[in-house]
Amino acid sequence: MKGLQKLFFVLSIVLLVNSHVSAQDKLIQDVTILSHDSLEGREIGTVGELKAARYIANRFADIGLSKAPHEDSFFQVFTKRLRAHPHDTLFTGKEVTGRNVLAYIDNSAEKTIVVGAHYDHLGWGGSGSLHTGDPAIHNGADDNASGVAALLSIAAALKKQKLSHNVLFIAFTGEEKGLLGSNYFINHLSSQPEELHFMINMDMIGRLDTARRLAVYGVGTSPSFIPALESVPDQNFAFKLDSSGLGPSDHTSFYLNNVPVLHFFTGQHAQYHKPEDDVELINFAGLNDVITFISDLIFTLDKEESIAFTKTKDKKKGGKERSFKVTLGIIPDYLFDGIGLKIDGTKPNRPADKAGLQKGDIILQLGDIKTNTMHDYVKVLGMHEKGDEVSIVYLRGTKTISSIVLFD
């Protein structure tokens, strides 16, 4: 870190610890600092990740949080060998050292609430990036500086209240490489998963749109969740609720260990996994509303002596996980509530792009199967192999279009 970058970083930290800075200002500063170029995209195993981890640890200390039980510092350090390529099942890639950042509120309770968000991102691009130009810093303001800023804001709010349960705050690393940090944490618990009351995960919650669409996943993982969600003033959100405890973020690691989970998400956008995901595009008023709702929800659920875990219908008949060898190369609009699968973006030179599909198109049918839901889409993928040609029917505006997709 050199020159003006270093000065910016130091001055920002000084402002943050100033007691006269408002909670809203701290929220803005947290996202700004975590998504600054000087952190170079916070990829696991890099200097930028270490800088981000130290910043988060300092913020935890400023809030007045303690180290987690059985930890010597705010850091939970681990080493992991990465995949050499997406289909590598033996993990033959390079070995990296990452660190989760953990902080704790001890309320002398038997059970602990977990609140988490991943802080790592894609560095200069590479695997996972949707950027097609020269290597560039992927700052990840929404993904997921927004979630970490929310984590810090909620920690400050809960520190001021006496809850019935302990609270563990975790900034995970390695999420972008395959939930590495959350997997390490859950597999190295000093206690049993049953001692975790429930887990809240926040990933990409900084781009609340004008329709105020807020997705909440995992509502089926406990019978306590729907009544609690309905009892909290909702800030006029347009909710999209999903029962499943599985998804491409850190709550999955907890769900697979029988911990009730809720995951919050404000939707995909054109800057997803691209260098353009910057702080200027964050809707801070909306982010603050999401934080208020989640904080109120935690207070509500804290009153429950027991949160029962429920397995959701995430597997095929026979118990095998869904798997497929092909993909269209689309970014789905996960908050779309209509009939069909709405496309939020296409990946260049992938089957959908080659077939002429565009952002905003709604896929109605693939082959003989109507794609009324994401589950229908996944079902179709599981039926095909590379080289298969499949008819596709989609809606563009009011026009219905038929074409052929080649899975390559």
Side-chain angles (χ1 to χ4, degrees):
M1 193 185 304
K2 298 179 180 180
L4 291 175
Q5 288 184 343
K6 183 175 181 180
L7 179 62
F8 172 87
F9 202 78
V10 172
L11 288 177
S12 297
I13 292 176
V14 170
L15 283 171
L16 276 168
V17 298
N18 187 325
S19 61
H20 298 294
V21 176
S22 70
Q24 180 74 356
D25 287 340
K26 287 184 179 180
L27 187 67
I28 295 171
Q29 291 169 13
D30 284 337
V31 176
T32 301
I33 292 171
L34 288 169
S35 61
H36 191 254
D37 280 353
S38 60
L39 271 63
E40 297 187 86
R42 311 183 306 275
E43 184 175 2
I44 184 174
T46 66
V47 173
E49 181 225 32
L50 179 59
K51 289 177 182 177
R54 288 174 174 168
Y55 174 76
I56 296 165
N58 286 335
R59 287 283 285 115
F60 279 152
D62 293 338
I63 291 168
L65 305 182
S66 305
K67 294 177 290 186
H70 309 291
E71 297 291 341
D72 296 328
S73 71
F74 285 114
F75 303 126
Q76 183 185 52
V77 182
F78 63 93
T79 301
K80 179 71 175 180
R81 189 168 296 280
L82 302 179
R83 298 179 189 271
H85 52 81
H87 303 293
D88 177 12
T89 59
L90 300 176
F91 291 88
T92 59
K94 69 176 182 179
E95 190 172 77
V96 297
T97 297
R99 52 197 50 78
N100 294 325
V101 191
L102 281 60
Y104 192 63
I105 297 176
D106 186 356
N107 289 316
S108 301
E110 293 183 1
K111 290 194 173 186
T112 298
I113 297 167
V114 178
V115 185
H118 78 89
Y119 73 93
D120 68 301
H121 198 48
L122 298 177
W124 284 78
S127 177
S129 172
L130 299 178
H131 178 56
T132 57
D134 293 333
I137 296 173
H138 289 52
N139 284 318
D142 187 30
D143 188 12
N144 185 35
S146 66
V148 178
L151 179 73
L152 295 167
S153 181
I154 291 170
L158 299 189
K159 178 63 178 173
K160 297 175 183 177
Q161 302 286 336
K162 177 67 175 179
L163 274 69
S164 300
H165 298 85
N166 311 316
V167 189
L168 179 64
F169 301 94
I170 312 177
F172 298 106
T173 192
E175 190 269 356
E176 300 287 7
K177 299 297 185 183
L179 316 186
L180 302 183
S182 54
N183 268 300
Y184 182 86
F185 170 81
I186 201 71
N187 288 319
H188 291 80
L189 281 175
S190 57
S191 57
Q192 297 299 312
E194 298 82 48
E195 295 180 28
L196 301 181
H197 198 38
F198 61 89
M199 189 269 184
I200 297 283
N201 186 48
M202 300 167 289
D203 193 349
M204 296 179 62
I205 58 171
R207 297 286 293 275
L208 189 71
D209 62 18
T210 54
R212 297 182 64 81
R213 298 182 298 169
L214 178 61
V216 188
Y217 297 89
V219 298
T221 64
S222 175
S224 298
F225 285 156
I226 292 293
L229 286 163
E230 291 176 343
S231 71
V232 177
D234 67 10
Q235 308 290 327
N236 296 314
F237 293 122
F239 285 103
K240 176 180 174 60
L241 304 182
D242 192 299
S243 64
S244 177
L246 290 180
S249 193
D250 291 302
H251 61 288
T252 295
S253 300
F254 290 78
Y255 168 74
L256 293 175
N257 283 270
N258 298 336
V259 178
V261 297
L262 287 173
H263 168 55
F264 291 84
F265 171 64
T266 55
Q268 299 276 20
H269 43 73
Q271 295 76 34
Y272 172 70
H273 278 200
K274 293 180 180 178
E276 294 79 20
D277 181 8
D278 281 321
V279 66
E280 293 81 7
L281 299 176
I282 298 297
N283 175 359
F284 282 102
L287 177 57
N288 191 64
D289 287 345
V290 175
I291 290 169
T292 298
F293 179 81
I294 295 173
S295 298
D296 289 344
L297 178 64
I298 292 171
F299 287 127
T300 298
L301 289 170
D302 177 64
K303 298 173 185 177
E304 298 272 349
E305 184 175 342
S306 177
I307 303 287
F309 173 76
T310 304
K311 193 77 171 175
T312 57
K313 295 180 180 179
D314 304 307
K315 297 182 179 181
K316 290 182 177 180
K317 186 176 181 180
K320 293 183 178 179
E321 296 284 352
R322 295 182 184 272
S323 62
F324 40 86
K325 299 177 182 179
V326 297
T327 178
L328 280 180
I330 64 171
I331 302 171
D333 182 346
Y334 291 101
L335 300 186
F336 179 63
D337 283 326
I339 300 298
L341 179 67
K342 188 174 183 180
I343 299 175
D344 204 45
T346 60
K347 299 178 182 179
N349 298 316
R350 300 303 302 278
D353 178 55
K354 291 178 180 179
L357 277 77
Q358 302 173 4
K359 175 182 171 68
D361 291 344
I362 301 172
I363 301 173
L364 302 175
Q365 188 165 332
L366 276 166
D368 296 327
I369 297 179
K370 293 183 178 180
T371 52
N372 292 330
T373 66
M374 177 65 70
H375 297 290
D376 297 329
Y377 170 61
V378 171
K379 180 180 178 181
V380 175
L381 295 183
M383 295 167 56
H384 290 282
E385 308 245 353
K386 291 183 178 181
D388 289 353
E389 285 189 339
V390 180
S391 61
I392 185 169
V393 179
Y394 58 96
L395 190 66
R396 179 173 294 167
T398 58
K399 184 179 180 181
T400 301
I401 303 173
S402 297
S403 186
I404 298 293
V405 168
L406 171 64
F407 288 119
D408 54 19

